[in-house]
Amino acid sequence: MREAFHGQLAELGDQLAGMCSWAGEAMRRATQALLDVDVTGAERVVSADAELDRERARCEERAQSLLALQAPVASELRTVLSSLYCAEKIERMGDLAKHVAETVRLTHPEPAVPAELRETFAELGRLTVGMAEQVRDLVAGTTTNGVAEVNDRDDEVDALHARLLATITGRDWTHDARTAANLALLARFYERFADQAVSVAKRLQFIDTGEMPNTANGG
Amino acid sequence: MREAFHGQLAELGDQLAGMCSWAGEAMRRATQALLDVDVTGAERVVSADAELDRERARCEERAQSLLALQAPVASELRTVLSSLYCAEKIERMGDLAKHVAETVRLTHPEPAVPAELRETFAELGRLTVGMAEQVRDLVAGTTTNGVAEVNDRDDEVDALHARLLATITGRDWTHDARTAANLALLARFYERFADQAVSVAKRLQFIDTGEMPNTANGG
């Protein structure tokens, strides 16, 4: 019974790690499509998102059946509940990558990102994809010192996001209001993706410590 | 033991209903501050949000202790897990009301909303506050036919949101890029608030039916 329980718990962890990889890959492809003004690539990201939604539903079913059949307590209960929480956040990361891709479709054939901001969005892509990978490694247990690193990258994302908004809303802005509005939303999608990764990292820490983290990340 | 369990479950429901009221009131006040360019009122919404975060943490603790001590199964397990899920969504509604209030502070002393769009935001406020109230009644069990109504209002919010974005990004837009960027984000805060309310309503339905709803609402 206990052995089966631990096997199922490990499978749940594998599922979550797989979801992180999926979300990171979605953001990598969405950013590439954004920079390349590649509407076909963007469409692919949009339609692939349904699979992440299904995987999340499968995680929920597994977690519920673990709770119903094994009635875990203490740290094992925290692990199962945290898995439910994380699955939701990771699915949301996929949604946000999809929103980036949808913006490509919305502005096509015009690029959503003006030439002088391409490098900023490329960097937002690198940072957020890196965060998804860090969180995957935390979930898989192949790293333990990851929470601080995830937070560091989140600070970088926040700084880039703030700088972008200042550029868009500044006096020197030379593009039109439509471009500004789309860029403000795009920047927010990256920032929120990063926030979800932080939430997952904090929640994983909670499994170890039993101390409820402050899950409000102002997002 | 069972009686104590049902008492605690009822208390959890009361907590959630209270959180809905709180989130709805936060959005009502944030919208008022937005329309009145009332930075003091906005500050009050921002600082009050911490209480909703704490209430959510208390809900989580209660739900976890119910799971650990009572090991519920079937519909009772679904109820406790759904409470965890809903508490997170309702806390998020509070965050989004706070973001509306933060925008008032950001653009002060300028109004964030130009005169010709005031009525649109007033309507977004009325609709989303109404959704928080509908969800509160669903949680409290004082209405059962609410899911369809919540969905109807969500459709209205989506339509207003789409119309707003079209206005902001259209050729006839006469305001600057800064105003457009802030309005695009503001409109999104209302739309996301409505999405969370829909998620809660769907999850409550799931308690009754045991059928996992499609929780991906594209948000």
Side-chain angles (χ1 to χ4, degrees), chain B residues 62-79:
Chain B
R62 191 189 291 267
Q64 286 204 37
S65 109
L66 272 172
L67 289 172
L69 299 174
Q70 310 274 358
V73 295
S75 79
E76 289 175 349
L77 174 59
R78 285 202 300 272
T79 304

Side-chain angles (χ1 to χ4, degrees), chain A residues 31-192:
Chain A
T31 303
Q32 201 58 51
L34 180 69
L35 298 174
D36 296 347
V37 197
D38 171 11
V39 78
T40 314
E43 294 287 3
R44 243 179 267 132
V45 174
V46 172
S47 52
D49 185 58
E51 178 52 27
L52 194 59
D53 296 346
R54 282 190 291 271
E55 189 64 8
R56 179 259 176 104
R58 287 190 284 264
C59 273
E60 286 216 7
E61 280 158 26
R62 191 189 290 267
Q64 286 204 38
S65 110
L66 272 172
L67 289 172
L69 299 175
Q70 310 274 358
V73 294
S75 78
E76 290 175 350
L77 173 60
R78 286 202 301 272
T79 304
V80 178
L81 292 181
S82 296
S83 302
L84 279 172
Y85 180 91
C86 293
E88 209 259 322
K89 298 292 167 194
I90 304 166
E91 184 203 318
R92 181 91 197 109
M93 288 164 76
D95 288 341
L96 290 157
K98 183 175 78 169
H99 291 338
V100 170
E102 284 166 340
T103 308
V104 177
R105 193 165 64 179
L106 182 74
T107 61
H108 186 82
E110 293 299 314
V113 178
E116 71 271 26
L117 289 175
R118 278 177 56 85
E119 189 38 51
T120 306
F121 278 93
E123 182 62 15
L124 279 173
R126 276 192 294 272
L127 285 167
T128 50
V129 171
M131 289 174 82
E133 289 166 356
Q134 285 174 322
V135 168
R136 178 201 60 207
D137 294 346
L138 278 169
V139 170
T142 58
T143 177
T144 51
N145 195 20
V147 180
E149 283 171 34
V150 173
N151 276 328
D152 286 347
R153 289 219 191 178
D154 187 49
D155 290 343
E156 289 184 64
V157 170
D158 286 347
L160 270 180
H161 176 253
R163 192 148 28 104
L164 246 175
L165 274 195
T167 304
I168 295 163
T169 59
R171 285 171 196 277
D172 300 335
W173 182 249
T174 54
H175 301 279
D176 60 9
R178 175 185 160 90
T179 306
N182 285 328
L183 288 173
L185 290 171
L186 265 179
R188 185 160 176 84
F189 300 149
Y190 284 94
E191 188 222 357
R192 290 295 299 153

Side-chain angles (χ1 to χ4, degrees), chain A residues 53 56 60 64 67 71 81 85 88-89 91-92 99 173 177-178 188-189 192 203 212 215-216 218-219, chain B residues 53 56 60 64 71 81 85 88-89 91-92 99 169 173 177 188-189 192 203 212 215-216 218-219:
Chain A
D53 296 346
R56 179 259 176 104
E60 286 216 7
Q64 286 204 38
L67 289 172
L81 292 181
Y85 180 91
E88 209 259 322
K89 298 292 167 194
E91 184 203 318
R92 181 91 197 109
H99 291 338
W173 182 249
R178 175 185 160 90
R188 185 160 176 84
F189 300 149
R192 290 295 299 153
R203 190 50 71 130
M212 186 72 72
T215 51
Chain B
D53 297 345
R56 179 260 176 106
E60 286 217 7
Q64 286 204 37
L81 292 181
Y85 179 92
E88 209 260 322
K89 298 292 166 194
E91 185 203 316
R92 181 92 197 109
H99 290 339
T169 61
W173 182 249
R188 185 160 176 84
F189 300 148
R192 290 296 299 154
R203 189 51 70 130
M212 185 73 72
T215 51

